[in-house]
Amino acid sequence: GEEIMLQLRGLDPGKVFDQLDSARERMAARRFVDRISGKPIGEVTISVGLTDVFAHTDMGDALRAADEALYRAKEGGRNRIEIG
């Protein structure tokens, strides 16, 4: 899987969680198929490590917290959001 980091400014962490969780649910509900063969290719899951940058002493701490939360999400079964 791919890892992507987003930095969002001026947004309430609770609202960000809700929006990401909604996107995660919509993506997991989709069933993807190969355009040529028409055969199912499986599902796409989203695992997220979310943190509030301003809750940490510096950017490095915030990135570590988000990364640790991401790995908790993956280890906890994937397709989930963990907060760091």
Side-chain angles (χ1 to χ4, degrees):
E2 300 296 323
E3 290 189 19
I4 300 168
M5 193 281 269
L6 301 173
Q7 184 177 2
L8 307 170
R9 293 183 63 93
L11 299 176
D12 175 80
K15 288 182 182 180
V16 172
F17 180 97
D18 291 343
Q19 290 174 349
L20 288 172
D21 200 42
S22 176
R24 181 197 59 73
E25 287 178 348
R26 287 192 313 272
M27 185 64 73
R30 293 189 63 180
R31 298 296 171 241
F32 295 92
V33 297
D34 183 288
R35 289 183 183 180
I36 297 171
S37 70
K39 293 182 181 180
I41 58 174
E43 66 183 11
V44 174
T45 62
I46 299 173
S47 301
V48 176
L50 180 64
T51 194
D52 181 355
V53 172
F54 297 111
H56 300 277
T57 56
D58 61 42
M59 183 60 77
D61 287 342
L63 289 173
R64 277 186 288 284
D67 194 51
E68 290 169 3
L70 171 61
Y71 281 95
R72 280 197 313 276
K74 289 180 176 183
E75 291 168 359
R78 300 185 180 266
N79 200 35
R80 54 190 287 146
I81 299 173
E82 290 287 335
I83 300 174

